Amino acid sequence: MVRYLTIRLLQMFVLFLVFLTILFFLINAQPGDISAQFVGNPDIPPEAKQILRERLGLDQPLFAQYLFYIRNVLTLNLGVSFDHYPRTVADILLTALPRTLYLFGIATLLSYIVGFQTGKMVAWRRGSAAETGTMVTSIILYTVFYPWFAILMLWFFGSQLNWFPLGKFLTPAQWFDAPYTANQVFNTMLLSMFLAGAGVALVVWGTGKFVAEPVPRTRARRILFALIAISMLAFWLISPMSRYAADIAYHTVLPVTTLTLVFYAAITLLTRSSMLETLREDYIFTARAKGVPEKVIRDRHAARNAMLPVTTSFVLAIAFIIGGGIVTESIFSWPGLGLTLLNAVNVEDLPVAMGALAFIGLLALFAHLVADVLYAFLDPRIRVQG
Amino acid sequence: MTDVTEIPPVDPVLEPDVPVAKEGLWRTRIRLWNRSFTKNWEIFSRNRLGVAGVVFVAFFGFLAILHPILMATVWPEEIYDPVRGNDTVILEKTVVPDGEVTDPITEISFTEAMIFGNFFPEEGDVVLVGQAPAPPNSAHLLGTDPFGRDILSQLMKSSQAAFTLGVIAAVSAVTIATTIGSVAAFYGGWVDSWLMRQADLILLLPLLPLLIVIGSLYEVGLWQLGLLIGILSGLGATAIILKSQALSVKVKPFNDAARVAGGSNWHIITRHIMPNVLPLSFLYMMFEVVGAIFLEATLSFFGLLSIPMSWGIMINTAHTQGYTLFGLAAWWLLFPAGLSVTLFGAGFFLIGRAMDEVVNPRLRAR
């Protein structure tokens, strides 16, 4: 497993370099350079332009510039924003990153968990009214034009019913004398979510390893899950941050729901067809012949194997999730990486735009790695090949 | 021996005069195509959602064809042109003091009159106020947009753009992917690993952010976008899927037969592998169209493409002009365009799913 991980990490690094190369040539394929901006300005003599080009390293050969660029990105030296002038690009992007991770993380997890369960149930009860209903809803949600759907959600729940705020991720009036910065609260929320997730994974792994009998195992899991939930609740009830965290959470509901609904539909459709394929396998027939209870066949024999294509689909879904995330951030004014990228593109803030693109690429690579590791964990056949 | 001489051996190649095959080869092919088409349509039409998809696509095809006809006959260009046309309904309104407007159709408040260009209004004056967006009326069946342009005309023009983009993207993607998939499956070895690693790499590219940046740096029109999407998808995801199909075709015995008969590599790829990958290619063409249309509409929604008119631009116009939260109150701004993208995408998606059942018998209902 360690060897597998090392190889994957190395591959990821090479892929990231290739991605950066594409970015570099994307910028350099444009005619002229920064000094061309002053071509019509008589106050700037050619010598000054030459000095500018020398100082920015633009007189160097292209390959040297390319090496500079790679080195700068790898050391997070992404330059200074044109639009928010004295702020560095790295600062802007690192501020936006946790917000995007939060949005993506919750939406992805929720949609995978709920979508997998729904798809499983629906495939099991093929031909029922519930199946037809779920399928129609899922196909509608899956094919709906996402930006339009998000606008309608914003209009209906934000404006018509007035249940949720219209945008941004906090109410400025509440934060006027807050002792924390928004990102401190954000990072705490992310960290606690991560700890809870890690706890759940640990419980599942631990009980699976050390408790052999299925009934006490389920009981132990329930107790430990409840413990995790209670400790999380207790932490947020005691913490003085909770007032601000609640504000952020309130702003999160609508964008996360919108994003989740669309992925959820895709996962449901995929799980259903994957389950239907699995249910025709011979081992399901064998299990039935042995007299294994139907629920065990569904959950142990069919759903576990149906999970593989769904996990693979995560790799394909990454691009989809990132695209959906950008649209969501734009419509709900959620100040994450996607909105940063769009704003930078609109005001031609090139350093920020390229930096955001590099960050999003890195995010995609990381998600890819997670999917790979998960896949290797789920399918022993992959691990053997190393 | 007498039996053999009584029934002469029939060999149309050696003895072309023997009247065996009366119909030409092309006619046989057409007959076979026709038969397989009828059979496949039977399977396809059993899926009602697939038929609904065909209806949706046909509806937009009808809109796309109707537009130039209407423009040439009944719609004057200065009013109905989807980009440059303008038909602002001018209303005569009486100026009343602020807060005393009882009938917004005939009266206008003092402040509003100033905003609409009458800088020195006096109470009781009659001012002319242009009404755009105008709700649906007899001249404009779907109303006008915030710039006084006919929505129906825009909708029709956009469906032309959608078909153009879809066809460009789908054809280029599937051509590239079928070639790459067949070549990779046939040769294997380093050709295969090179092409597949390249596909993996492209699969990893965050497509929408990349296109956002490309769209802001360069002038991207319909053709460029279609080719860009087609190439990226054809080298990426679609190539991987079609390669796996080509692999299962490659091991079939007819390839060995062709090899024994002296067929070259290229002959086997183009005549034996590709035709058997084509059904799946057609299927992925449908999904390709959906992906391309959604990408185009999203990019247009962000205002990053140089396309004269598309559904995404219509939504962008309503959004940037501040009608996002009007919802049903200005339904003709958001709903026709949004529904069009959705139904167009859904149409091709449903056709694709129904074709999946034709291509892949395991999916058919038991």
Side-chain angles (χ1 to χ4, degrees):
Chain A
M1 196 69 189
V2 175
R3 213 190 97 158
Y4 177 78
L5 257 180
T6 330
I7 293 173
R8 290 310 286 171
L9 271 174
L10 275 176
Q11 280 178 347
M12 291 289 147
F13 184 69
V14 174
L15 283 177
F16 187 57
L17 286 187
V18 175
F19 182 62
L20 287 184
T21 313
I22 295 173
L23 290 195
F24 177 77
F25 286 104
L26 202 64
I27 321 168
N28 270 270
Q30 281 201 306
D33 58 47
I34 189 82
S35 65
Q37 283 194 347
F38 307 111
V39 76
N41 190 338
D43 291 341
I44 296 179
E47 301 84 62
K49 276 185 214 160
Q50 191 53 38
I51 291 170
L52 181 68
R53 299 188 72 225
E54 274 170 23
R55 285 178 63 182
L56 291 172
L58 292 173
D59 56 339
Q60 309 258 355
L62 198 63
F63 188 67
Q65 288 187 39
Y66 169 67
L67 289 182
F68 271 134
Y69 176 74
I70 298 285
R71 195 189 67 195
N72 282 343
V73 172
L74 292 184
T75 52
L76 265 187
N77 183 6
L78 294 165
V80 178
S81 163
F82 292 165
D83 190 32
H84 310 263
Y85 168 60
R87 283 185 78 187
T88 60
V89 173
D91 179 35
I92 293 175
L93 295 179
L94 286 177
T95 314
L97 184 66
R99 301 166 189 168
T100 295
L101 283 181
Y102 177 86
L103 193 68
F104 283 176
I106 299 185
T108 313
L109 270 182
L110 266 184
S111 53
Y112 265 85
I113 293 170
V114 184
F116 187 74
Q117 294 297 331
T118 322
K120 190 176 87 181
M121 292 305 193
V122 156
W124 193 249
R125 284 187 226 152
R126 190 165 193 198
S128 66
E131 192 215 4
T132 320
T134 317
M135 286 302 287
V136 170
T137 331
S138 300
I139 289 183
I140 290 175
L141 280 175
Y142 183 68
T143 52
V144 76
F145 178 47
Y146 183 64
W148 180 62
F149 176 67
I151 287 180
L152 290 188
M153 288 288 281
L154 183 64
W155 161 69
F156 192 70
F157 291 103
S159 168
Q160 197 75 3
L161 297 178
N162 210 358
W163 285 357
F164 298 106
L166 284 178
K168 299 288 176 198
F169 75 119
L170 43 79
T171 317
Q174 282 192 30
W175 288 70
F176 180 63
D177 51 358
Y180 313 102
T181 63
N183 264 38
Q184 277 173 335
V185 179
F186 234 102
N187 292 341
T188 318
M189 286 169 82
L190 265 180
L191 189 70
S192 63
M193 265 164 52
F194 177 76
L195 284 181
V200 168
L202 198 70
V203 166
V204 170
W205 176 80
T207 49
K209 193 156 177 97
F210 297 114
V211 189
E213 291 296 308
V215 178
R217 190 196 289 160
T218 320
R219 204 171 291 150
R221 275 185 191 172
R222 277 194 193 140
I223 294 170
L224 288 170
F225 285 158
L227 263 179
I228 292 175
I230 289 169
S231 56
M232 288 292 294
L233 262 178
F235 170 73
W236 282 109
L237 282 179
I238 296 167
S239 163
M241 267 184 193
S242 58
R243 190 161 74 93
Y244 304 104
D247 186 38
I248 291 180
Y250 177 51
H251 282 76
T252 318
V253 178
L254 198 51
V256 164
T257 314
T258 312
L259 196 56
T260 306
L261 274 177
V262 177
F263 300 153
Y264 158 79
I267 303 299
T268 307
L269 289 176
L270 191 72
T271 312
R272 176 182 165 272
S273 50
S274 167
M275 267 295 268
L276 286 181
E277 296 242 335
T278 315
L279 285 178
R280 294 192 181 185
E281 297 284 350
D282 291 339
Y283 51 77
I284 301 291
F285 194 66
T286 315
R288 283 228 169 92
K290 280 194 301 186
V292 178
E294 290 284 289
K295 211 179 143 205
V296 177
I297 296 180
R298 187 190 68 196
D299 293 344
R300 288 287 157 82
H301 296 242
R304 279 198 176 178
N305 284 294
M307 204 184 250
L308 286 179
V310 181
T311 320
T312 323
S313 83
F314 181 66
V315 177
L316 291 167
I318 291 168
F320 184 64
I321 293 173
I322 287 178
I326 291 180
V327 174
T328 314
E329 288 185 4
S330 141
I331 286 168
F332 294 97
S333 338
W334 183 266
L337 279 181
L339 193 63
T340 311
L341 173 72
L342 272 177
N343 285 342
V345 159
N346 282 334
V347 296
E348 306 206 335
D349 189 349
L350 202 57
V352 174
M354 299 321 280
L357 199 51
F359 259 59
I360 291 173
L362 199 61
L363 201 66
L365 279 175
F366 184 71
H368 205 92
L369 184 70
V370 171
D372 271 350
V373 171
L374 214 61
Y375 197 74
F377 184 72
L378 284 176
D379 191 348
R381 285 171 295 186
I382 306 275
R383 250 177 298 168
V384 175
Q385 290 169 9
Chain B
M1 286 301 284
T2 48
D3 289 2
V4 177
T5 43
E6 270 170 20
I7 306 164
V10 177
D11 190 335
V13 178
L14 294 179
E15 295 172 52
D17 296 338
V18 177
V20 178
K22 270 185 188 159
E23 51 178 27
L25 190 59
W26 60 275
R27 194 172 286 207
T28 317
R29 278 198 182 142
I30 285 181
R31 196 160 46 81
L32 283 176
W33 272 343
N34 195 22
R35 193 194 292 159
S36 79
F37 179 79
T38 324
K39 207 180 95 201
N40 286 337
W41 173 252
E42 230 169 68
I43 303 169
F44 183 92
S45 57
R46 250 178 259 150
N47 187 329
R48 289 216 205 105
L49 284 174
V51 178
V54 174
V55 172
F56 289 158
V57 172
F59 172 69
F60 285 107
F62 173 70
L63 284 189
I65 294 169
L66 198 61
H67 187 257
I69 300 174
L70 283 178
M71 287 303 282
T73 52
V74 286
W75 280 357
E77 205 176 320
E78 64 274 15
I79 292 178
Y80 285 97
D81 188 276
V83 184
R84 292 180 299 277
N86 184 313
D87 189 15
T88 308
V89 179
I90 309 281
L91 295 178
E92 291 186 355
K93 295 189 179 182
T94 318
V95 178
V96 294
D98 286 1
E100 291 181 21
V101 179
T102 46
D103 180 12
I105 295 173
T106 55
E107 292 175 340
I108 190 170
S109 73
F110 197 81
T111 324
E112 266 189 82
M114 279 170 74
I115 292 172
F116 283 113
N118 301 276
F119 295 117
F120 305 106
E122 283 183 21
E123 214 179 309
D125 274 5
V126 173
V127 293
L128 299 177
V129 177
Q131 198 197 12
N137 51 49
S138 58
H140 304 285
L141 291 178
L142 283 175
T144 59
D145 79 347
F147 303 119
R149 302 179 294 188
D150 185 65
I151 296 266
L152 184 60
S153 172
Q154 290 184 338
L155 209 64
M156 289 174 159
K157 188 75 186 168
S158 306
S159 40
Q160 285 176 4
F163 273 109
T164 317
L165 179 86
V167 168
I168 298 169
V171 168
S172 53
V174 165
T175 313
I176 294 172
T178 312
T179 317
I180 284 193
S182 309
V183 167
F186 183 80
Y187 286 106
W190 66 268
V191 178
D192 179 28
S193 10
W194 172 265
L195 289 173
M196 287 303 115
R197 290 298 81 74
Q198 177 187 309
D200 282 346
L201 174 69
I202 288 170
L203 207 61
L204 265 176
L205 288 181
L207 194 57
L208 186 68
L210 197 66
L211 286 176
I212 285 176
V213 171
I214 292 178
S216 74
L217 290 179
Y218 303 93
E219 188 116 330
V220 180
L222 215 51
W223 275 87
Q224 289 93 327
L225 184 71
L227 284 177
L228 205 60
I229 296 174
I231 290 170
L232 283 179
S233 155
L235 291 176
T238 323
I240 298 178
I241 296 162
L242 293 186
K243 185 212 146 191
S244 61
Q245 171 75 5
L247 266 183
S248 67
V249 174
K250 185 201 164 188
V251 295
K252 296 266 167 70
F254 54 70
N255 292 313
D256 298 332
R259 165 78 63 211
V260 171
S264 66
N265 286 347
W266 191 242
H267 172 84
I268 294 176
I269 292 176
T270 52
R271 285 302 166 98
H272 295 278
I273 296 183
M274 277 191 186
N276 285 296
V277 179
L278 270 184
L280 204 68
S281 306
F282 271 121
L283 170 69
Y284 278 91
M285 262 186 171
M286 301 299 142
F287 295 130
E288 204 60 50
V289 172
V290 182
I293 289 302
F294 277 30
L295 268 177
E296 185 275 334
T298 311
L299 287 169
S300 294
F301 168 72
F302 290 138
L304 293 168
L305 296 178
S306 38
I307 294 175
M309 187 46 67
S310 80
W311 294 318
I313 292 176
M314 292 169 71
I315 300 178
N316 176 42
T317 311
H319 187 57
T320 49
Q321 296 300 312
Y323 291 93
T324 315
L325 296 180
F326 276 52
L328 282 176
W331 62 268
W332 65 94
L333 291 179
L334 281 174
F335 280 76
L339 270 180
S340 293
V341 188
T342 307
L343 289 183
F344 191 83
F348 277 100
F349 176 73
L350 292 176
I351 292 179
R353 276 179 71 92
M355 273 174 73
D356 210 359
E357 287 188 11
V358 177
V359 178
N360 186 355
R362 296 214 298 165
L363 293 178
R364 283 174 215 160
R366 281 166 290 184

